[in-house]
Amino acid sequence: MRKTKLMGAASLSACIVAAGLSLGGVASAQTTAQPTTELDALIVTATKRNESVRDVAIPIGVVGGEALQKANANSLADYIVRLPGVTFNDYQPGISEVVVRGISATTYHEQGQTTTGYYLNEVVVVEPGFPIGIPDVDTFDLERVEVLRGPQGTLFGSSTLGGLVNYVAKTANVSKYEASASGLLGVTKNAGEANYAAKAMVNIPIVTDKMALRVVALQRFDAGFLDNPGVKKDGVNDFRTRGVRASVVFDPGNGTKLTFLSAYQDSLLDDQTYLSHDYVRNTPRAEPQETDFWLNSLRLDQDVGFADLTVIGSTNHKTNTTTYSYPYPYVTGATAGTASAYSIGAAEADIDTLEGRLASKEDDRLKWLIGASYMRAKKSSADRIYQPGAAAYINAHPGDFGGYSGAILAPNDAIYGYISDTLNKDFGIFGEVSYKFTPQWEITVGGRYYDTKNTAEITNAAGSLGAGSFSPKASSFGTGQKEDGFTPKVTLAYRPQKGVMAYATYSRGFRVGGPNPNAAILAGIPTSYGSDTVDNYEAGLKTTLLENRLSLDISVFHLKWKDIQARLFTAAPYFYSYVTNAGAAKVDGVEFAGQFKVSQHITFSNSTTYQEAKLTTLLPDSFAVGGGYAAGTTLPGSSKWSTSNTLSFEFPEVKLAPTFEIAHRYLGKAPVAFGNPNTRGNFNIFDLRASIAPTDKVRVLGFVNNFTNEYGILNAPFTDQAAPAYSIVRPRTAGVRVDVTF
């Protein structure tokens, strides 16, 4: 395995910060991954109001639609890691997770509810419990992506321990006709096929200034770059994404606006992206994975005189089908080829939500918001392990299997399986009140009362995983949990002058508990686990100088994580996963983001994070050497240092309006899992981009991502097991994209 050089990234970040401070001791929010000259014009909905990002007294990163386009960003991995305080557990498409401020107990996939919340136009898109899919919404025709750092339990409820991601898709414009298209063609090193993308949007006013329709369609193909000699194929991990978004807006006047949004997106991965060495994975069979979601929401915005009423209802249907191969001998002893074991998992979830809230009109002194929300999430998943020839083998060796037949212990060669049916209900009442007791000082107090319930029925089929290890009868168990509580928030903001704001805040986030499906088949696994919480103590500064040419956003935070929902694994040979509440942790850190418009043509931006995320008490693990993980152990995936830098050159007055951009990011070393000696990170990535505009309606962008072809390890949580399992940064990828507006 190649070793990555630091290349002085830590000292580079230090120089950048020092340079920023020497330019005025200064301050402002780094609101986009790319430069913007109109910071005050960027509106966000982080507080469930439309507010300037400069006025929001919380740490927030916002990547605008124009910035996404300039960066050639298509998915989360292309832009989310450039924001301060954010890393990305980029494991498999469709189940990769954003991690904010190090709040994660794995670099794989949380078995419990995610520690980061995910929303599309303020509608939650990830269900409680084990998420069967995490939508990675394509960036085409997005207004912006907001990333709130720190717990957001007051306004957004559960699953926001570290923060949240809110995709904001553009909705229909009732005033004018709009249309745009984008096409991409490229190549990735080691890939045998070309990458491509085709995307288009049309906006049609049906009744001018009253009603309009907006439709987006897209398809993207990322060619595979891994070879799998086990299936005798190169470039096996081809990945295809396609989707349709449609919105209808009805604006009859008198303060009434109705917005319908329908979003469908599916993805297909031909073979998994984990590998054993270099660009090689070796599995007996291909391991495809397909995920999709279809979200429909209806939103009413109504002026009721003394306040603004917002009501949002939604339904969301998600599915996931995944195949894995297993190198374990199980029943027949076969570990290679088509006779080896494999699993097929199929899951689906339906999420229904309803939220209503009232927000006060703009006022110089007092503003308030109060609302209620309800969510019902129903999920079903079925997992079966198959081994070809298992039934015949059991019939031929009855003495090893208690005299039971293959038809009982391996029907249709299925040697293990479970069905899990869960139902979650979540009711909340939330509110905030802000009061300016002087023109400079403002205090905000808020909270949420929550009442959650979840039930689960787990059925384990009859089966056998080997001689002497069998169950001739199906077994079932049920779990049920109820919990209510209160998540508070208090913020004090000080604005001594325009463009300068200091704040201090306390907030809390929580996650709901759930079942452990493997509890019925192995002793020592708890049947369920409970909730966990994070308390956040933070101070920050946002400011702009030099007529918005210079900006800075800095925050210092201390997080306390209690009753951690830790995803652990049993010992060999099965490595069953389960969740238990155990231990506590703290995260201390500093986040910096700055942007300086050096001249009319040159802009430099930087974001840098330093954090220490460690256990503060023993995290017990009965299957681990030593019985657990001691206080002082670093949380999985939590790098001390990460930084992102972008240097942009723009010449709008020159013929063809050329631009050139150099982007760099560094991710520090971090452990991949509790008790695992492997690490991820310690790599630098450089991207190059250049564009021209032949006309005012056409822009052509050329790009080279991962210019130095860095072999950066993203995670490796299972490399101490028999199966290879780590992921890497996509190799050097170059291409051309053409954007057209009509």
Coordinates of all heavy atoms in Angstrom, one line a residue, residues 5 43 65 101 134 154 223 248 254 264 285 287 313 319 371 382-383 433 444 458 529 553 624 644 654 660 702 727:
K5 N 2.3 11.3 1.7 CA 3.1 12.4 2.3 C 2.3 13.5 2.8 O 1.3 13.9 2.1 CB 4.2 12.9 1.3 CG 5.1 11.8 0.8 CD 6.0 11.2 1.9 CE 7.0 10.2 1.4 NZ 7.8 9.6 2.4
I43 N -29.4 34.0 1.4 CA -30.5 33.7 2.3 C -30.5 32.3 2.7 O -30.4 31.4 1.8 CB -31.8 34.2 1.8 CG1 -31.8 35.7 1.4 CG2 -33.0 33.9 2.8 CD1 -31.5 36.6 2.6
G65 N -25.7 27.5 -5.3 CA -25.8 26.8 -6.6 C -24.7 27.1 -7.6 O -24.2 26.3 -8.3
R101 N -18.3 17.5 13.2 CA -17.5 17.7 14.5 C -17.2 16.3 15.1 O -17.2 16.2 16.3 CB -18.3 18.6 15.4 CG -18.4 20.0 14.9 CD -19.1 20.9 15.9 NE -19.0 22.3 15.5 CZ -19.6 23.3 16.0 NH1 -20.3 23.1 17.1 NH2 -19.3 24.6 15.6
I134 N -29.3 6.8 2.3 CA -29.1 8.2 2.6 C -29.0 9.0 1.3 O -28.0 8.9 0.6 CB -27.8 8.4 3.4 CG1 -27.9 7.6 4.7 CG2 -27.6 9.9 3.7 CD1 -26.6 7.7 5.6
T154 N -33.5 21.3 18.7 CA -34.6 22.2 19.1 C -35.5 22.3 17.9 O -36.7 22.1 18.0 CB -34.1 23.5 19.6 OG1 -33.3 23.3 20.8 CG2 -35.2 24.5 19.8
A223 N -17.6 5.8 -14.3 CA -17.0 4.5 -14.7 C -16.2 3.9 -13.5 O -15.5 4.6 -12.7 CB -16.1 4.7 -15.9
V248 N -44.5 22.4 -8.7 CA -45.5 23.3 -9.1 C -45.8 24.3 -8.0 O -45.9 23.9 -6.9 CB -46.9 22.5 -9.4 CG1 -48.0 23.5 -9.8 CG2 -46.7 21.4 -10.5
N254 N -52.6 37.6 -2.1 CA -53.1 37.7 -0.8 C -52.3 36.9 0.3 O -52.9 36.4 1.2 CB -54.6 37.3 -0.7 CG -55.5 38.1 -1.6 OD1 -55.3 39.3 -1.7 ND2 -56.3 37.4 -2.4
Y264 N -37.5 12.2 -7.4 CA -37.1 10.8 -7.5 C -35.7 10.7 -7.9 O -35.2 11.4 -8.8 CB -38.0 10.1 -8.5 CG -37.6 8.6 -8.8 CD1 -37.9 7.6 -7.9 CD2 -36.7 8.3 -9.9 CE1 -37.5 6.3 -8.1 CE2 -36.3 7.0 -10.1 CZ -36.7 6.0 -9.2 OH -36.2 4.7 -9.4
R285 N -18.1 -13.3 -6.3 CA -19.1 -12.8 -7.2 C -19.3 -11.3 -7.1 O -18.8 -10.7 -6.2 CB -20.5 -13.5 -6.9 CG -21.0 -13.1 -5.5 CD -22.2 -13.9 -5.2 NE -21.9 -15.3 -4.9 CZ -22.4 -16.3 -5.6 NH1 -23.2 -16.1 -6.6 NH2 -22.1 -17.6 -5.3
E287 N -21.0 -7.7 -6.3 CA -21.9 -7.3 -5.2 C -22.6 -6.0 -5.6 O -22.2 -4.9 -5.1 CB -21.0 -7.1 -4.0 CG -20.3 -8.4 -3.5 CD -19.4 -8.2 -2.3 OE1 -18.7 -7.1 -2.3 OE2 -19.3 -9.0 -1.5
G313 N -46.4 18.9 4.5 CA -46.7 17.5 4.6 C -45.9 16.8 3.5 O -45.6 17.3 2.4
T319 N -36.1 2.4 -1.1 CA -35.7 1.0 -1.2 C -34.2 0.8 -1.3 O -33.5 1.7 -1.8 CB -36.4 0.3 -2.4 OG1 -35.9 0.8 -3.6 CG2 -37.9 0.5 -2.4
G371 N -44.1 25.8 16.8 CA -44.6 24.8 15.8 C -44.7 23.4 16.4 O -44.4 23.2 17.6
A382 N -35.3 -7.6 4.9 CA -35.1 -9.0 4.9 C -33.7 -9.3 4.4 O -33.3 -8.8 3.3 CB -36.1 -9.7 4.0
D383 N -33.0 -10.1 5.2 CA -31.6 -10.5 4.8 C -31.5 -12.0 4.8 O -31.8 -12.6 5.8 CB -30.6 -9.9 5.9 CG -29.7 -8.9 5.3 OD1 -29.1 -9.2 4.2 OD2 -29.4 -7.9 5.9
V433 N -37.8 32.1 21.0 CA -38.1 33.5 21.2 C -36.8 34.3 21.2 O -35.8 33.9 21.9 CB -38.9 33.7 22.5 CG1 -39.1 35.2 22.7 CG2 -40.2 33.0 22.5
T444 N -31.6 34.5 22.5 CA -32.6 33.6 21.9 C -32.7 32.4 22.8 O -31.7 31.8 23.2 CB -32.2 33.1 20.5 OG1 -32.0 34.3 19.7 CG2 -33.2 32.2 19.9
I458 N -38.7 -9.0 15.1 CA -37.6 -9.6 14.4 C -37.9 -11.1 14.3 O -38.1 -11.8 15.3 CB -36.3 -9.4 15.1 CG1 -36.1 -7.9 15.5 CG2 -35.1 -9.9 14.3 CD1 -36.0 -7.0 14.4
Y529 N -31.3 -1.1 22.0 CA -30.4 0.0 22.6 C -31.2 1.3 22.7 O -32.3 1.4 22.1 CB -29.2 0.2 21.7 CG -29.5 0.5 20.3 CD1 -29.7 1.8 19.8 CD2 -29.7 -0.5 19.3 CE1 -30.1 2.1 18.5 CE2 -30.0 -0.3 18.0 CZ -30.2 1.0 17.6 OH -30.6 1.3 16.3
D553 N -15.0 33.5 9.7 CA -15.9 32.8 10.6 C -15.1 31.9 11.5 O -14.4 31.0 11.0 CB -17.0 32.0 9.8 CG -18.0 31.3 10.6 OD1 -17.8 31.2 11.8 OD2 -19.0 30.9 10.1
A624 N -14.2 -7.7 22.4 CA -12.9 -7.1 22.1 C -11.8 -7.6 23.1 O -12.1 -8.0 24.2 CB -13.0 -5.5 22.2
S644 N -9.0 23.0 3.8 CA -9.4 23.1 2.4 C -9.0 24.5 1.9 O -9.2 25.5 2.6 CB -10.9 22.9 2.2 OG -11.3 23.2 0.9
V654 N -12.4 40.2 -19.9 CA -11.6 39.7 -21.0 C -12.5 38.8 -21.9 O -13.5 38.2 -21.5 CB -10.4 38.8 -20.4 CG1 -9.6 38.2 -21.6 CG2 -9.5 39.7 -19.6
F660 N -9.8 30.4 -13.8 CA -8.9 29.3 -13.4 C -8.9 29.1 -11.9 O -9.0 30.1 -11.2 CB -7.5 29.6 -13.9 CG -6.5 28.5 -13.6 CD1 -6.6 27.3 -14.2 CD2 -5.5 28.7 -12.6 CE1 -5.7 26.2 -13.9 CE2 -4.7 27.6 -12.3 CZ -4.7 26.4 -13.0
G702 N -13.2 22.8 -18.1 CA -12.3 21.7 -18.1 C -11.8 21.5 -16.7 O -11.6 22.4 -16.0
S727 N -11.9 1.6 1.4 CA -12.2 2.4 0.2 C -11.2 3.5 0.0 O -10.5 4.0 1.0 CB -13.6 3.1 0.4 OG -14.6 2.1 0.6

